[in-house]
């Protein structure tokens, strides 16, 4: 696993990919939280949806999760917690169940509590501190391409989901040879994703190319951009900002060229 190798003392070994991951998902998460403080709470959800970004994607996946009553829900790789905050807002009061957030980056995990009152456990999805059959539904958004071992991650999600449990995935998928590679990303292909889901005990109910869904509403995009602008204003010279920006630019080019596309998956444990 690229980012989950452990040294003899059990601590994570540092790699270039670890630095890129921390710059993009931890340092920038802390800066994002401060920018939301400045701009106002109505900026929090758009700014804190870092992997999905768009309400239409979240709504399509949420429909597959079919949350109701006191269903137990897991957000694996929850980042700043924006998607779960959106889910709780959109699906209350018909869903009132507990949400467990798990996110390995310490600043991001702490920020989800401060921004949304959603405490996150600091954990990698490959090693969730949950018993078997702990949740009825889970989603994992924008995470699979940041682990070198998709199968380990899916196996662990399968373990913590109850039999028949629902899974929503947002996955960046490579369509053929890539002209460049962002540090620390390892994009599955459609075939490898399908194969890994089947091998780890998931039945795919539906999948969708996210480009067929509408873009984020202008107001949502404006708020996310305003937060990004404050982060750039305050930290644009910082090496972590430049590193995260470089990775985002590479990803942006790959997506514009459709070498990498966003795929949404609704699946069930079988
Ligand atoms: C693109 S962000 C998406 C965050 C959030 N899911 C969202 O949609 O806003 C990817 C997140 O996955 C986390 N991550 C990376 N590798 C992970 C792993 N192996 N297990 C769990 N989370 C991981 C990162 O720290 C980061 O917060």
């Amino acid at each position: 696993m690229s980012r989950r190798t452990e040294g003899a003392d059990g601590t994570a070994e540092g790699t270039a990919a670890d630095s890129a991951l921390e710059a993009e998902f931890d340092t920038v998460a802390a800066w994002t939280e401060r920018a939301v403080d400045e701009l106002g709470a109505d900026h929090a959800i758009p700014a804190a949806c870092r992997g999905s970004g768009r309400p239409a994607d979240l709504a399509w996946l949420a429909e597959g999760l079919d949350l109701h009553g006191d269903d137990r829900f897991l957000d694996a790789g929850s980042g700043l917690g924006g998607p779960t905050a959106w889910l709780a807002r959109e699906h209350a009061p018909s869903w009132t169940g507990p949400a467990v957030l798990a996110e390995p980056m310490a600043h991001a995990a702490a920020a989800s509590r401060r921004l949304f009152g959603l405490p996150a456990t600091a954990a990698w999805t490959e090693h969730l501190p949950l018993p078997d059959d702990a949740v009825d539904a889970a989603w994992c958004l924008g995470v699979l391409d940041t682990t070198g071992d998709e199968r380990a991650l899916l196996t662990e999600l399968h373990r913590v989901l109850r039999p028949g449990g629902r899974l929503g995935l947002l996955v960046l998928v490579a369509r053929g040879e890539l002209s460049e590679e962002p540090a620390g990303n390892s994009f599955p292909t459609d075939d490898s994703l399908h194969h890994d889901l089947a091998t780890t005990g998931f039945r795919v109910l539906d999948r969708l190319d996210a480009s067929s869904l509408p873009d984020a509403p202008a107001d949502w995009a404006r708020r996310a951009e305003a937060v990004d602008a404050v982060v750039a204003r305050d930290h644009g010279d910082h090496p972590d900002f430049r590193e995260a920006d470089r990775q985002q630019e590479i990803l942006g080019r790959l997506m514009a060229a459709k070498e990498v596309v966003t795929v949404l998956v609704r699946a069930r444990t079988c």
Side-chain angles (χ1 to χ4, degrees):
M1 289 183 287
S2 64
R3 288 172 174 155
R4 299 297 312 114
T5 47
E6 292 184 352
D9 61 355
T11 58
E13 280 178 354
T15 64
D18 287 330
S19 317
L21 189 75
E22 281 171 21
E24 190 172 355
F25 297 129
D26 210 32
T27 313
V28 175
W31 295 339
T32 300
E33 184 190 357
R34 268 179 249 140
V36 169
D37 278 348
E38 177 180 324
L39 292 169
D42 57 347
H43 288 65
I45 291 182
C49 286
R50 308 304 299 186
S52 41
R54 304 187 324 167
D57 302 336
L58 298 177
W60 190 86
L61 290 170
E63 201 182 317
L65 295 180
D66 190 26
L67 289 167
H68 51 269
D70 57 0
D71 279 354
R72 302 154 301 165
F73 167 72
L74 165 70
D75 185 342
S78 51
L80 284 158
T84 297
W86 177 93
L87 191 63
R89 187 185 72 188
E90 298 294 313
H91 290 262
S94 61
W95 172 54
T96 52
V100 178
L101 283 74
E103 163 59 43
M105 297 292 130
H107 286 119
S112 70
R113 179 179 52 74
R114 290 190 290 260
L115 285 172
F116 304 113
L118 291 169
T121 297
W124 298 88
T125 300
E126 295 89 332
H127 306 282
L128 290 167
L130 295 173
D132 296 355
D133 305 345
V135 292
D136 301 290
W139 69 17
C140 185
L141 310 176
V143 181
L144 267 191
D145 65 285
T146 64
T147 171
D149 192 345
E150 290 93 9
R151 221 173 271 191
L153 193 144
L154 291 170
T155 299
E156 185 69 342
L157 286 172
H158 189 278
R159 182 185 70 76
V160 302
L161 276 162
R162 70 159 169 78
R166 288 95 63 191
L167 176 67
L169 293 175
L170 181 149
V171 189
L172 299 183
V173 165
R175 295 261 161 93
E177 263 317 271
L178 298 185
S179 51
E180 51 187 336
E181 301 249 5
N185 285 86
S186 158
F187 302 105
T189 62
D190 289 298
D191 282 352
S192 74
L193 177 61
H194 192 77
H195 189 247
D196 286 343
L197 280 163
T199 308
T200 53
F202 287 99
R203 186 159 54 94
V204 173
L205 305 179
D206 208 352
R207 59 193 292 163
L208 186 75
D209 192 326
S211 65
S212 64
L213 293 174
D215 277 338
D219 194 44
W220 173 288
R222 186 183 56 71
R223 285 169 208 222
E225 282 160 17
V227 170
D228 287 346
V230 168
V231 171
R233 180 199 70 195
D234 293 346
H235 306 286
D237 290 337
H238 194 288
D240 281 358
F241 180 91
R242 291 202 298 269
E243 173 65 24
D245 210 36
R246 200 162 35 245
Q247 300 311 320
Q248 281 303 319
E249 279 178 9
I250 296 173
L251 186 59
R253 286 195 293 274
L254 291 171
M255 296 191 82
K258 300 211 181 318
E259 292 179 43
V260 171
V261 299
T262 303
V263 170
L264 307 176
V265 176
R266 293 175 182 165
R268 257 179 204 270
T269 56
C270 48

